[in-house]
Amino acid sequence: MKGRVIAVTGAAGVLGAALVRNLAADGAQIVGIDLAKGFAGDAPLALALPGVDLSDEAAINAAFAAIAQRFGKLDGLANIAGGFRWETLEGGAIETWDKLYTLNVRTAVLACKAGAPLLAKEGGAIVNVGANASFRADAGMGAYAASKSGVSRLTESLAAELKDKGVRVNAVMPSIIDTPANRADMPNAEFNRWVTPEALSDVIAFLLSDAARAITGVLLPVTGRV
Ligand SMILES: NC(=O)c1ccc[n+]([C@@H]2O[C@H](COP(=O)([O-])OP(=O)(O)OC[C@H]3O[C@@H](n4cnc5c(N)ncnc54)[C@H](OP(=O)(O)O)[C@@H]3O)[C@@H](O)[C@H]2O)c1
């Protein structure tokens, strides 16, 4: 990863922060992009872009223009920003479907659209975060799984579109990540069965690296022991 420039969206979140630490430890220069107003003080970022709403096309275009100006290239893009909501159809609202579409699909689409031309300059890789739950949705998971299915279809379609431009596009499909929020929501679960942010980051780092140069268009389940 030495000398590589990697953009990580959602870099202030639990998985994003773990991925930043992982890639930086391997010598990459990391650009952190997040809606959050700031990043952890010890986040090893070469360029911090806080307060960027990834669902806003002008804001995301400005973020990638800043990357181009600072580095003149981009080797990898990890689209980690996203979110979850459990809600049944009967007890829920149509707005939730729109909200999760914006949070999970629109953000990834706009980041890919803005980042792809820069990635294509020297070849590169995109990793999106889908969800294992989107292969078959359980009760209360309709809006979330539909939005993460959108991320899967984006991944497949873009992989085909960028194959001959030297840009690979893959997705990881986590089940439950071992985060403080999940521990609080499911206090009686066996936490050691869940995939840790560090283990999932290892898989994302692999997909961003040259070691995965023969892989594109893959939706890779990363489920720990769930
Ligand atoms: N946690 C799980 O069990 C699990 C399972 C499967 C898949 N995933 C996926 O894995 C990814 C990371 O999950 P996580 O648990 O690390 O989530 P997280 O801690 O909530 O981190 C997500 C980050 O994305 C940012 N974000 C949200 N909307 C944004 C926007 N419009 N523009 C820019 N940044 C935005 C959030 O900022 P704010 O906090 O300021 O909104 C937050 O910093 C997500 O895509 C999630 O859907 C998670």
Side-chain angles (χ1 to χ4, degrees):
M1 283 291 167
K2 196 154 178 55
R4 300 287 169 92
V5 178
I6 312 282
V8 178
T9 77
V14 176
L15 176 59
L19 181 63
V20 168
R21 289 192 297 272
N22 182 310
L23 295 169
D26 209 20
Q29 292 179 283
I30 313 299
V31 181
I33 307 174
D34 205 291
L35 187 57
K37 292 279 175 264
F39 300 92
D42 59 352
L45 296 172
L47 178 61
L49 298 174
V52 176
D53 182 354
L54 289 153
S55 66
D56 177 341
E57 189 164 19
I60 189 73
N61 286 345
F64 280 87
I67 295 171
Q69 189 180 25
R70 168 75 180 269
F71 301 101
K73 68 163 189 171
L74 184 64
D75 301 296
L77 167 62
N79 287 316
I80 309 298
F84 175 75
R85 179 85 162 262
W86 189 96
E87 191 174 280
T88 62
L89 197 63
E90 187 183 19
I94 187 61
E95 287 76 16
T96 300
W97 291 69
D98 294 336
K99 194 174 163 204
L100 288 178
Y101 176 88
T102 298
L103 186 58
N104 288 317
V105 187
R106 186 179 166 94
T107 54
V109 169
L110 288 175
C112 287
K113 193 167 168 54
L118 206 46
L119 287 162
K121 281 176 78 174
E122 298 181 19
I126 296 173
V127 177
N128 294 321
V129 181
N132 203 55
S134 70
F135 289 123
R136 182 169 180 85
D138 208 340
M141 300 286 276
Y144 174 70
S147 69
K148 287 297 192 183
S149 296
V151 173
S152 296
R153 303 292 82 77
L154 165 69
T155 302
E156 293 164 343
S157 167
L158 196 59
E161 290 176 26
L162 298 180
K163 194 181 287 186
D164 293 330
K165 294 187 174 168
V167 180
R168 300 180 295 104
V169 189
N170 294 295
V172 290
M173 312 292 277
S175 46
I176 306 172
I177 304 172
D178 188 1
T179 65
N182 281 335
R183 285 189 180 215
D185 286 347
M186 294 170 268
N188 298 320
E190 290 180 74
F191 305 145
N192 64 4
R193 304 193 77 85
W194 296 346
V195 64
T196 64
E198 290 73 24
L200 181 52
S201 295
D202 279 343
V203 178
I204 297 171
F206 161 70
L207 289 172
L208 288 169
S209 77
D210 287 347
R213 62 193 174 281
I215 302 174
T216 195
V218 157
L219 310 176
L220 184 61
V222 188
T223 55
R225 294 192 295 127
V226 172

